[in-house]
Amino acid sequence: MIKTSRIAGAVLGVVALTGSLAACGGDSLEKEKGGSASGGGSDNKGTLVIGAASFTESKVLAELYAQLLGDAGYKTSVTTVKNRELYEPSLEKGEIDVVPEYAATIAEFLNAKVNGPKAPDEKPVASGDVAATVAALTKLAEPRGLKVLPAGAAVDQNAFAVSKEFAEKNKLTTLSDLGKSKLKVKIAAGDECEVRPFCAPGLKKTYGIDVAGIDPKGVGTPQSKQAVKDGADQLVLTTTTDAVLDGLVFLEDDKKLQNADNVLPVVNAKDAGSQEIADVLDKLTKVLTTEDLAELNRKVDAERAKPEDAAKAYLESKGLLKK
């Protein structure tokens, strides 16, 4: 499952606010072996290091950024760093120039870093409103020498799915429908779902869903999904970019319980804050969808495509590469 490496601990060891945060790490930059993207640089516009966290989606996004910037004349490389605790300080220092990020997650990470580890729980800055979340993120990022570029429609956040049969039988398309149905549901998820505000407690409070219990089979794992298909559980926690549903359907988060974890680039303002770089990356931001991300994840995880190859094919399909 592509998200397990981001669950819990991204906010400097504080209980995570969303189900898709980076794992804890050390204090120094320990780079893993990263792939190199299209070099470019024929126009001598400079060198850019694109940072990626160590999970599929982040690696693919970093390749998309690197190849676009390479095509625009920059010499680019991709460096995979274990987690946000390592790559964010490197971004501030200029050791990394550009990172693909998730609006709500990075906002709460910086909230904890600036205002203390309890801030995300006591005074959260992220919400289901993407514009407000990005505005709060920008306010936290700018004093740290970071520039936040516009967010797009692609979003990776907690999502809940039921079997197609269960949805059709009970006429369910939204989480509100499930709440109104008064059906008792057991959730296949990680055991932390019982206490996380965006899992069982949030489903009860926001939607009135009658949660009968948690089946701790993990987030979006094959075992969790199978339990729902078999009818042992009724609801599975996964993510919006999960491309392997096979007989399951998402229920729409129509009251926006989940925070706005829309994808957006964050750059070092001094080294990569030019309008040209922003414009290049915005070409991708404007076309990338949640479904596109899910398909890119599927190609890498299920078909074993290399992130750089999947990224190149996607950019070419959208007419975003000149070469």
Side-chain angles (χ1 to χ4, degrees):
M1 191 353 188
I2 61 172
K3 280 309 187 294
T4 53
S5 66
R6 286 211 286 150
I7 295 174
V11 190
L12 302 178
V14 182
V15 173
L17 286 185
T18 71
S20 53
L21 301 181
C24 287
D27 297 318
S28 61
L29 177 61
E30 298 174 4
K31 297 179 182 179
E32 295 179 355
K33 184 178 180 181
S36 95
S38 63
S42 59
D43 296 333
N44 197 28
K45 292 183 178 179
T47 300
L48 295 172
V49 178
I50 318 300
S54 57
F55 60 94
T56 295
E57 188 172 291
S58 185
K59 292 177 182 178
V60 172
L61 284 165
E63 285 290 345
L64 289 167
Y65 289 4
Q67 291 184 35
L68 263 183
L69 290 165
D71 194 57
Y74 296 89
K75 184 176 181 181
T76 62
S77 64
V78 173
T79 293
T80 299
V81 185
K82 289 182 180 179
N83 51 53
R84 188 174 284 105
E85 282 79 9
L86 295 178
Y87 70 66
E88 190 279 330
S90 294
L91 186 62
E92 289 187 23
K93 294 173 186 175
E95 296 167 345
I96 291 174
D97 301 301
V98 183
V99 171
E101 266 295 358
Y102 302 86
T105 298
I106 185 62
E108 292 301 356
F109 177 88
L110 292 180
N111 187 21
K113 191 169 183 177
V114 173
N115 299 312
K118 293 184 179 180
D121 287 324
E122 297 177 352
K123 292 184 179 180
V125 296
S127 68
D129 184 327
V130 64
T133 298
V134 172
L137 167 59
T138 300
K139 187 175 180 180
L140 289 164
E142 286 183 345
R144 310 194 73 82
L146 304 179
K147 182 178 180 181
V148 178
L149 302 186
V155 60
D156 184 349
Q157 61 196 109
N158 285 344
F160 294 92
V162 296
S163 70
K164 288 182 180 178
E165 181 182 3
F166 187 76
E168 291 170 0
K169 179 181 178 181
N170 297 288
K171 298 180 180 178
L172 307 175
T173 59
T174 68
L175 289 171
S176 286
D177 291 339
L178 184 57
K180 291 173 185 175
S181 74
K182 303 302 180 185
L183 293 165
K184 287 185 178 294
V185 298
K186 193 172 183 181
I187 306 173
D191 54 9
E192 70 276 4
C193 179
E194 189 170 350
V195 297
R196 291 282 168 81
F198 299 109
C199 202
L203 292 176
K204 293 175 184 177
K205 181 179 179 180
T206 302
Y207 290 105
I209 293 172
D210 188 353
V211 178
I214 307 299
D215 186 1
K217 284 185 164 60
V219 179
T221 61
Q223 295 84 355
S224 287
K225 293 173 183 176
Q226 193 61 49
V228 172
K229 293 176 193 176
D230 293 342
D233 301 330
Q234 290 71 47
L235 197 64
V236 60
L237 170 63
T238 182
T239 66
T240 51
T241 58
D242 185 345
V244 191
L245 292 178
D246 296 336
L248 303 177
V249 292
F250 288 127
L251 293 183
E252 181 189 351
D253 179 21
D254 53 308
K255 293 185 178 179
K256 298 188 182 300
L257 168 63
Q258 305 304 324
N259 278 341
D261 254 331
N262 295 62
V263 175
L264 79 176
V266 179
V267 305
N268 178 283
K270 181 181 177 181
D271 297 336
S274 72
Q275 188 58 49
E276 181 181 21
I277 288 174
D279 289 343
V280 170
L281 293 175
D282 199 49
K283 292 176 183 178
L284 173 66
T285 298
K286 285 180 176 177
V287 302
L288 188 68
T289 66
T290 304
E291 292 74 22
D292 291 342
L293 267 183
E295 178 60 15
L296 284 163
N297 288 329
R298 189 191 65 78
K299 284 184 179 297
V300 175
D301 289 335
E303 296 183 7
R304 301 303 178 194
K306 293 180 180 179
E308 55 266 37
D309 293 339
K312 183 179 181 181
Y314 176 79
L315 293 172
E316 289 177 342
S317 75
K318 296 296 182 181
L320 293 177
L321 293 181
K322 297 192 295 289
K323 300 173 184 176

